[in-house]
């Protein structure tokens, strides 16, 4: 292959409106390497990023791939593994002869760090794979197969020196120079990973597990850097409107503008506090403490354990904006677990800082069913379907905007799932501030994974994390947890223990506004049926005007709602209204109903309305919703849920007497099969029995706040096996798959004796042995198999605009779909709705589903089906 011929090699070819566009391989590799270098430079991965960017598509230099790109043939084979082969068989031998055995082992791991991202840039794979009942080191299998391919395609061997010359032109360094400099970066990372792992666990075996987790996550980060650079260039090269990349000056300008706006708001608060109540003075004092903490907490994981009604969202926002302005962070993520909280707080945030640089990402309108890239099964290597480069990818959210409002599910997908969009977004977390609101919502099975990933984010990716909640879980408890969250960062800082506001303010008596009562009997096992619950509500309506009932399933909400409506009809003299509230309603519909409830509650509180108001809701209302009832009934799950629900009772402290919160067990709920609910409820009951061994059989007053720490200790210590995220059908855990992977390693050693050579086996040990793909496929923050559909609810103009825009530019379609996110609901089984949904397509790509009007009800929203109350 001659040099001039190499300049004509293609990376991509598109025909758009009968016009042919070509991107040359030389340009694509350069663009990818430059962008990967830029991303990696921020965290000490400059040269490793550059090298994998140069090498990732080297296989496209083969004659067969050039024929495939030119559409002369229909299949071309594997192109990803060639770059990895160059590292192992072209670069490493150059230095191997001059290094010690100890250094050779380090280089071996370094090579694995480089090779996996290149081989996996079209899809995750498991390092140890069960192939025809034989467990194999799949990286080696692919490399061996590529070696045979290079013998058949000598042009691939000839392409390496050409790449080397290109590297010298582009970066004034040979590939070997970059490889050696990357090794020095790797050594610094390895030392730091060992150091942080030693702090992450107590026992030596547990420290090794933490180290393996950090190694695997570092490889995921390198893969993310490569995918972000590769996909950005591959998708945008022929687009008229390229996706905007914010530079530092643009972002810093945005931070200053937003910071000025929120500080102006707090100037108003300071002035109004002179004539306002004590609670507002304390709210402002808490925000001032967080504001001051921003300057002394450049990186680390911190807590903001503010009581309900203390202004947590604005306090966290103020901290994040000042922090980002001082330390020039790339973006801020506001993350929460419940859709109603996201809707309310996104609206509250945007009213203060504007919408120009803010993007709200929760339910994906765009269908993201990416093809599973099982490209290497049975040696049938086929990477021809580059679906991750198609136009639809232009619509997928890559979190480029400076301020992202998103969900705990979307964040967890970014951290652990395997779709291209998720992998790309992981590198966008570098140098960010992440506010995780309602952190107590993490399912217990994910605790270890989240603790370790948060340690990685703060110590390796320059991330500052704030855990916000009124009911802080004991994630840093080294006595109860093998892998605690490492709160704080700087040892000499007064925030070393993690809390950025003083307890003297958060524990002020002004925030004690309710009394708790148990309806669960002496052993906290007595259940309440619907009739008995209605009797309780009727008794309260004799003296109270507003009641909130929170239960755990949508079916239970519907049952109680119908029973209350029947009760109100039988007691017409009461008047009053009952409201139904679940995520069967789209976001706009739900927020409209919540605002109507708030308006009527204010009238009741101010004496302008005398008829009662009752709301029946799932847990979506219990955390973060600024709403104020006289009485709350909460069906028991966890202690923190009860405390969060209490935050909707006498929230502003305007009642003459404290509000009342009743805790009960609802007979009509079917939560036995929901593992999280069951574990939480059992831990809650055990805690209550320990603290109140002599509870009365009838209504009994209890102190739920006193129960919180013991509850978390019970939850964690009684469910140690669950903390590793078990996958029962595999008799293994995701924690194991992402760390030592002992089960698969033992099977590999059984099938591939290390004492003698077996054809297809590997004689030497390898450090990376994670089941990356299997872990990604099995990880779900919640057990959820839903599809997003757009409903027709007060959005006819937007829907018509979408349908009219199908022939327009992809950017126009993307903007409209983003606007439609708040008009979506999630459906478990699309087949049940096949007569009610209309697919919307563009250029043969499925964009979204549109739900017919008669499948969405003004009162109940989505008429059929049951769904989880988490969001995604």
């Amino acid at each position: 292959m001659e040099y001039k011929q190499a300049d004509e090699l293609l990376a991509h070819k598109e025909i758009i409106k009968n016009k042919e566009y070509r991107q040359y391989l030389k340009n694509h590799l350069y663009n990818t390497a430059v962008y990967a270098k830029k991303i990696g430079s921020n965290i000490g991965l400059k040269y490793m990023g550059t090298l994998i960017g140069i090498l990732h598509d080297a296989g496209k230099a083969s004659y067969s791939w050039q024929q495939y790109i030119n559409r002369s043939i229909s299949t071309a084979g594997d192109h990803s593994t060639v770059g990895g082969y160059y590292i192992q068989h072209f670069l490493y031998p150059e230095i191997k002869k001059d290094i010690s055995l100890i250094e050779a082992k380090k280089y071996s791991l370094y090579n694995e760090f480089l090779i996996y991202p290149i081989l996996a840039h079209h899809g995750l794979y498991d390092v140890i794979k069960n192939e025809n009942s034989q467990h194999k080191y799949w990286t080696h299998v692919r490399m061996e197969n590529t070696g045979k391919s290079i013998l058949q395609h000598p042009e691939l061997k000839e392409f390496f020196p050409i790449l080397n010359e290109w590297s010298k032109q582009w970066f004034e360094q040979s590939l070997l120079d970059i490889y050696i400099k990357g090794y020095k970066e790797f050594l610094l990372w390895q030392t730091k990973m060992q150091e942080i792992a030693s702090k992450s666990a107590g026992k030596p075996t547990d420290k090794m597990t933490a180290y393996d987790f950090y190694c695997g996550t570092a490889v995921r980060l390198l893969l993310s850097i490569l995918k972000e650079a590769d996909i950005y260039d591959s998708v945008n090269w022929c687009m008229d409107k390229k996706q905007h990349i914010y530079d530092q000056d643009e972002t810093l300008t945005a931070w200053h503008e937003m910071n000025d706006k929120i500080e102006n708001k707090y100037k108003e608060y300071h002035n109004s506090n002179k004539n306002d109540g004590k609670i507002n003075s304390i709210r402002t004092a808490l925000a001032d403490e967080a504001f001051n903490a921003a300057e002394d907490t450049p990186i680390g994981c911190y807590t903001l354990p503010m009581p309900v009604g203390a202004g947590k969202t604005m306090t966290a926002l103020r901290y994040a904006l000042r922090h980002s302005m001082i330390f020039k962070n790339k973006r801020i993520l506001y993350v929460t677990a419940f859709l109603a909280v996201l809707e309310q707080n996104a609206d509250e945030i945007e009213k203060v800082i504007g919408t120009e640089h803010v993007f709200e990402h929760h339910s994906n309108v765009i269908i993201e069913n990416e093809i599973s890239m099982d490209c290497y099964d049975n040696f049938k290597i086929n990477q021809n379907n580059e679906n991750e480069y198609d136009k639809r990818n232009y619509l997928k959210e890559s979190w480029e905007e400076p301020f992202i409002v998103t969900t705990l599910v979307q964040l967890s997908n970014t951290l652990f799932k395997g779709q291209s969009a998720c992998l790309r977004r992981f590198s966008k977390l570098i140098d960010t501030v992440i506010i995780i609101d309602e952190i107590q919502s993490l399912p217990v099975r994910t605790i270890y994974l989240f603790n370790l990933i948060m340690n990685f984010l703060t110590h390796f990716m320059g991330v500052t994390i704030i855990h916000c909640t009124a009911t802080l879980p004991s994630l840093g408890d080294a006595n109860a947890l093998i892998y605690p969250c490492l709160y704080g960062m700087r040892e000499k800082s007064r925030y070393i223990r993690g809390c950025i506001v003083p307890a003297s303010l958060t524990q002020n008596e002004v925030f004690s506004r309710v009394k708790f009562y148990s309806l669960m009997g002496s052993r906290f096992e007595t259940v309440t049926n619907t009739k008995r619950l209605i009797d309780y509500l009727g008794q309260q309506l004799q003296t109270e005007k507003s009641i909130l009932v929170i239960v755990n399933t949508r079916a239970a909400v519907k049952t109680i709602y119908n029973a209350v409506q029947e009760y109100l009809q039988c007691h017409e003299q009461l008047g009053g209204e009952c409201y139904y509230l679940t995520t069967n309603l789209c976001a706009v519909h739900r927020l409209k109903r919540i605002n109507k409830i708030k308006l009527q509650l204010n009238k009741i509180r101010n004496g302008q309305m005398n008829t009662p108001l009752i709301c029946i809701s799932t847990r979506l209302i219990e955390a973060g919703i600024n709403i104020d009832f006289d009485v709350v009934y909460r069906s028991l799950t966890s202690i923190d849920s009860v405390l969060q629900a209490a935050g909707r009772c006498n929230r502003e402290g305007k009642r003459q007497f404290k509000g009342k919160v009743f805790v009960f067990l609802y007979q009509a709920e079917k939560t036995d099969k929901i593992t999280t609910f069951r574990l939480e409820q059992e831990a809650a009951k055990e805690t209550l029995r320990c603290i109140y061994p002599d509870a009365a059989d009838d209504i009994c007053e209890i102190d739920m706040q006193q129960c919180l720490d013991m509850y978390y200790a019970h939850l964690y210590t009684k469910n140690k096996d669950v903390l590793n995220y078990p996958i029962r059908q595999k008799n293994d855990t995701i924690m194991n798959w992402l760390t030592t992977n002992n089960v698969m390693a033992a099977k590999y050693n059984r099938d591939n004796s290390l004492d003698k050579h077996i054809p297809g086996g590997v004689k030497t040990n390898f450090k990376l042995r994670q089941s990356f793909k299997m872990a990604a496929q099995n990880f779900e923050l919640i057990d959820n198999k839903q599809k997003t559909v757009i409903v027709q609810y007060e959005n006819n103009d937007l829907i018509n605009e979408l349908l009219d825009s199908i022939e327009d530019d992809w950017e126009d379609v993307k903007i409209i779909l983003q606007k439609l996110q708040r008009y979506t609901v999630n459906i478990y089984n699309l087949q049940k709705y096949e007569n009610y949904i209309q697919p919307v397509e563009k250029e043969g790509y499925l964009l979204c589903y549109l739900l017919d009007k008669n499948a969405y009800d003004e009162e109940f929203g989505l008429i059929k089906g049951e769904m989880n109350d988490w969001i995604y």
Side-chain angles (χ1 to χ4, degrees):
M1 183 188 298
E2 295 182 4
Y3 197 89
K4 290 183 179 180
Q5 289 178 319
D7 285 355
E8 297 298 316
L9 292 171
L10 294 178
H12 306 103
K13 187 169 79 170
E14 287 276 354
I15 299 176
I16 304 175
K17 296 180 180 179
N18 298 321
K19 183 177 179 181
E20 184 177 278
Y21 295 83
R22 296 183 172 210
Q23 185 186 37
Y24 294 106
L25 184 59
K26 183 177 183 180
N27 295 336
H28 174 57
L29 297 181
Y30 171 74
N31 294 340
T32 303
V34 168
Y35 192 13
K37 174 185 176 182
K38 179 182 177 182
I39 300 170
S41 294
N42 297 301
I43 49 173
L45 296 176
K46 174 181 177 180
Y47 294 104
M48 294 174 73
T50 303
L51 187 61
I52 61 178
I54 295 173
L55 297 177
H56 79 285
D57 268 358
K60 287 187 177 181
S62 71
Y63 293 144
S64 59
W65 254 91
Q66 290 302 298
Q67 288 178 297
Y68 171 72
I69 292 172
N70 281 294
R71 294 164 173 78
S72 300
I73 58 175
S74 60
T75 184
D78 174 17
H79 72 271
S80 298
T81 313
V82 173
Y85 190 89
Y86 284 169
I87 290 170
Q88 188 67 45
H89 297 284
F90 287 32
L91 291 175
Y92 179 56
E94 290 293 314
I95 55 90
K96 184 178 181 181
K97 57 183 178 294
D98 299 321
I99 60 177
S100 67
L101 182 61
I102 293 176
E103 195 168 12
K105 290 183 178 179
K106 292 181 178 180
Y107 259 102
S108 178
L109 180 57
Y110 170 54
N111 290 340
E112 291 180 60
F113 268 55
L114 294 173
I115 291 169
Y116 187 91
I118 295 174
L119 270 60
H121 83 269
H122 276 283
L124 295 175
Y125 68 92
D126 297 329
V127 178
I128 300 174
K129 182 175 179 180
N130 184 357
E131 176 72 9
N132 297 326
S133 300
Q134 182 84 4
H135 290 80
K136 298 179 180 179
Y137 176 27
W138 206 244
T139 301
H140 175 76
V141 170
R142 290 181 57 177
M143 298 277 274
E144 287 289 294
N145 197 63
T146 295
K148 297 173 184 176
S149 177
I150 287 177
L151 292 176
Q152 298 171 357
H153 298 275
E155 68 273 15
L156 289 174
K157 188 173 183 179
E158 296 168 12
F159 185 58
F160 180 79
I162 293 171
L163 262 182
N164 198 44
E165 289 301 314
W166 286 352
S167 178
K168 292 175 183 177
Q169 284 181 18
W170 298 336
F171 304 109
E172 298 182 350
Q173 298 173 94
S174 69
L175 292 174
L176 185 61
D177 293 333
I178 297 173
Y179 176 69
I180 292 171
K181 289 180 178 179
Y183 176 66
K184 293 177 181 177
E185 292 177 333
F186 164 77
L187 290 179
L188 293 175
W189 267 67
Q190 185 185 42
T191 300
K192 190 172 181 180
M193 286 189 294
Q194 290 169 337
E195 174 192 342
I196 302 305
S198 69
K199 296 178 180 179
S200 300
K203 296 179 181 179
T205 53
D206 297 329
K207 291 178 181 179
M208 181 56 67
T209 298
Y211 172 70
D212 287 342
F213 181 92
Y214 296 144
C215 284
T217 309
V219 170
R220 181 183 178 88
L221 177 58
L222 283 167
L223 173 59
S224 176
I225 290 170
L226 175 58
K227 288 189 74 69
E228 166 61 17
D230 178 29
I231 294 178
Y232 179 82
D233 187 60
S234 298
V235 171
N236 282 275
W237 68 272
C238 62
M239 300 293 287
D240 293 331
K241 295 180 183 178
K242 291 181 170 55
Q243 291 173 321
H244 179 64
I245 298 291
Y246 281 79
D247 61 33
Q248 187 180 78
D249 290 340
E250 281 182 287
T251 307
L252 194 56
T253 298
W255 296 148
H256 278 280
E257 291 173 356
M258 295 179 194
N259 188 73
D260 288 345
K261 290 176 180 177
I262 197 168
E263 288 312 303
N264 287 335
K265 178 65 67 175
Y266 271 93
K267 284 179 183 177
E268 295 176 14
Y269 291 158
H270 281 101
N271 292 332
S272 66
N273 285 342
K274 297 174 183 177
N275 302 313
D276 214 336
K278 184 179 179 181
I279 189 169
N280 286 330
S281 297
I282 294 177
R283 284 171 178 162
T284 306
L286 283 164
D288 290 344
E289 289 286 344
F291 176 84
N292 295 329
E295 190 170 356
D296 197 36
T297 52
I299 296 173
C301 190
Y302 301 94
T303 63
L304 189 59
M306 291 173 61
V308 172
K312 170 166 51 74
T313 302
M314 284 298 109
T315 298
L317 177 62
R318 194 180 183 204
Y319 169 92
L321 287 171
R322 178 165 172 77
H323 189 285
S324 297
M325 190 175 66
I326 293 172
F327 298 108
K328 300 180 180 179
N329 297 112
K330 288 183 171 56
R331 58 188 51 83
I332 295 170
L333 269 72
Y334 171 80
V335 182
T336 192
F338 301 105
L339 189 51
V341 179
L342 184 80
E343 294 154 6
Q344 172 187 272
N345 291 354
D347 187 56
E348 186 179 350
I349 289 167
E350 290 172 2
K351 282 179 179 176
V352 175
I353 65 175
T355 60
E356 183 179 357
H357 304 292
V358 180
F359 178 68
E360 184 180 328
H361 183 211
H362 43 92
S363 300
N364 280 335
V365 174
I366 302 150
I367 305 302
E368 291 193 359
N369 289 341
E370 300 184 51
I371 294 175
S372 178
M373 299 297 286
D374 294 323
C375 303
Y376 310 101
D377 290 347
N378 304 315
F379 300 101
K380 294 177 182 177
I381 300 174
N382 179 10
Q383 289 183 346
N384 298 303
N385 190 335
E386 295 191 279
N387 67 301
E388 59 187 332
Y389 297 151
D390 65 34
K391 305 260 184 60
R392 182 175 51 180
N393 219 301
Y394 195 76
L395 301 172
K396 295 175 184 176
E397 298 313 327
S398 61
W399 288 358
E400 178 55 32
E401 287 83 356
F403 202 112
I404 307 294
V405 180
T406 192
T407 71
L408 197 55
V409 173
Q410 288 289 4
L411 176 62
S412 70
N413 289 349
T414 297
L415 299 174
F416 298 108
K417 296 294 282 184
Q419 288 86 350
S420 292
C422 299
L423 288 166
R424 285 184 69 189
R425 287 196 290 262
F426 187 53
S427 62
K428 295 296 182 75
L429 301 180
I430 294 171
D431 195 19
T432 62
V433 178
I434 303 178
I435 301 165
I436 305 182
D437 203 357
E438 313 304 347
I439 183 64
Q440 80 285 349
S441 302
L442 279 177
V444 64
R445 69 179 182 276
T446 67
I447 294 296
Y448 282 161
L449 293 175
F450 261 89
N451 278 353
L452 288 172
I453 200 78
M454 286 186 285
N455 294 343
F456 185 89
L457 290 170
T458 53
H459 288 83
F460 298 96
M461 292 175 64
V463 179
T464 299
I465 301 173
I466 301 295
H467 288 169
C468 298
T469 180
T471 53
L472 187 70
S474 307
L475 298 181
D477 187 353
N479 293 319
L481 298 169
I482 296 174
Y483 308 103
C485 178
L486 300 177
Y487 284 116
M489 181 66 85
R490 295 167 58 181
E491 293 182 0
K492 295 183 179 180
S493 169
R494 69 187 179 101
Y495 305 107
I496 183 172
R497 296 187 182 276
C499 187
I500 62 174
V501 290
S504 59
L505 290 175
T506 59
Q507 296 174 10
N508 193 285
E509 178 63 24
V510 74
F511 296 118
S512 177
R513 294 168 300 216
V514 302
K515 288 187 175 181
F516 295 90
Y517 302 92
S518 167
L519 304 178
M520 298 178 288
S522 60
R523 294 292 297 163
F524 300 96
E525 293 286 0
T526 302
V527 297
T528 299
N529 60 26
T530 304
K531 182 181 182 303
R532 184 61 176 149
L533 180 60
I534 297 301
D535 289 341
Y536 282 133
L537 300 183
Q539 292 169 16
Q540 293 301 316
L541 287 175
Q542 294 177 16
T543 57
E544 307 293 353
K545 292 297 183 183
S546 61
I547 301 175
L548 171 64
V549 181
I550 303 176
V551 287
N552 298 308
T553 67
R554 241 165 317 276
V557 172
K558 189 75 174 291
T559 299
I560 298 171
Y561 174 83
N562 290 336
V564 170
Q565 290 285 40
E566 184 178 341
Y567 176 88
L568 291 176
Q569 289 172 9
C570 293
H571 298 77
E572 292 183 4
Q573 71 280 7
L574 286 174
E577 290 189 72
C578 183
Y579 289 94
Y580 167 95
L581 203 58
T582 77
T583 49
N584 279 0
L585 309 175
C586 73
V588 172
H589 194 173
R590 188 164 50 246
L591 194 56
K592 180 180 178 181
R593 185 162 293 179
I594 289 173
N595 288 335
K596 184 178 180 181
I597 294 171
K598 286 182 180 180
L599 183 63
Q600 292 189 0
L601 288 173
N602 285 334
K603 288 181 178 180
I604 291 173
R605 187 71 72 220
N606 296 328
Q608 298 171 308
M609 180 173 161
N610 293 318
T611 54
L613 183 153
I614 303 172
C615 177
I616 318 298
S617 176
T618 52
R619 61 188 300 182
L620 71 86
I621 201 172
E622 76 181 11
I625 302 299
N626 299 332
I627 203 161
D628 190 1
F629 287 84
D630 291 329
V631 179
V632 170
Y633 282 79
R634 180 56 167 105
S635 175
L636 180 68
T637 50
S638 62
I639 298 295
D640 59 270
S641 286
V642 174
L643 288 167
Q644 290 288 345
R648 308 323 114 196
C649 184
N650 193 25
R651 184 179 180 86
E652 298 299 325
K654 293 182 178 180
R655 283 171 54 91
Q656 182 179 359
F657 304 104
K658 288 186 177 184
K660 295 177 283 188
V661 178
F662 295 92
V663 187
F664 66 104
L665 295 168
Y666 186 41
Q667 188 179 52
E669 281 182 341
K670 297 178 181 179
T671 59
D672 291 345
K673 294 182 180 179
I674 304 176
T675 302
T676 300
F677 281 172
R678 188 179 69 252
L679 297 180
E680 291 173 346
Q681 193 177 84
E682 288 173 356
K685 289 178 183 178
E686 184 175 359
T687 301
L688 288 166
R689 283 193 285 265
C690 287
I691 296 179
Y692 296 101
D694 300 318
D697 276 329
D698 55 0
I699 298 176
C700 174
E701 185 174 347
I702 54 179
D703 183 352
M704 296 301 283
Q705 190 67 50
Q706 179 188 353
C707 299
L708 190 63
D709 289 342
M710 183 183 289
Y711 162 75
Y712 284 125
H714 279 310
L715 185 65
Y716 298 153
T717 56
K718 299 290 184 180
N719 298 291
K720 290 183 178 180
D721 293 340
V722 178
L723 296 170
N724 287 309
Y725 203 130
I727 304 297
R728 304 297 183 193
Q729 62 271 31
K730 299 283 188 180
N731 197 29
D732 211 334
T733 70
I734 293 183
M735 183 71 177
N736 189 45
W737 288 340
L738 291 178
T739 56
T740 54
N741 211 2
N742 290 330
V743 175
M744 292 296 285
K747 291 178 180 178
Y748 170 81
N749 289 335
R750 179 199 66 198
D751 294 343
N752 302 271
S753 171
L754 301 183
D755 298 323
K756 60 181 180 179
H757 179 63
I758 296 178
V762 181
K763 295 176 71 173
T764 55
N765 289 321
F766 46 94
K767 179 63 179 175
L768 290 181
R769 52 194 190 185
Q770 284 88 343
S771 294
F772 291 112
K773 181 178 177 180
M774 198 154 57
Q777 289 175 334
N778 284 272
F779 179 91
E780 297 287 350
L781 190 70
I782 56 173
D783 296 327
N784 210 324
K785 305 297 181 185
Q786 303 182 70
K787 297 297 181 185
T788 302
V789 299
I790 300 169
V791 304
Q792 299 189 56
Y793 175 79
E794 298 181 357
N795 59 349
N796 289 341
D797 290 344
L798 267 179
I799 289 174
N800 290 333
E801 194 177 341
L802 173 65
L803 298 177
D804 291 342
S805 71
I806 298 302
E807 300 302 322
D808 296 341
D809 190 276
W810 283 82
E811 178 68 14
D812 299 329
V813 176
K814 181 176 182 177
I815 292 170
I816 299 168
L817 285 170
Q818 288 171 350
K819 291 178 181 178
L820 282 165
Q821 281 195 111
R822 286 198 167 196
Y823 297 91
T824 61
V825 295
N826 299 304
I827 295 176
Y828 267 121
N829 189 344
L830 283 182
Q831 290 182 341
K832 291 183 178 179
Y833 284 83
E834 60 184 354
N835 296 325
Y836 302 98
I837 57 173
Q838 169 191 344
V840 180
E841 298 181 348
K842 175 178 172 63
E843 297 180 14
Y845 297 115
L846 178 62
L847 298 178
C848 60
Y849 292 110
L850 182 62
L851 189 71
D852 290 349
K853 285 185 177 180
N854 57 358
Y856 191 82
D857 183 73
E858 179 69 26
E859 182 64 26
F860 300 110
L862 187 68
I863 299 172
K864 299 180 179 180
E866 292 296 321
M867 302 172 294
N868 285 318
D869 282 307
W870 285 67
I871 44 173
Y872 66 104

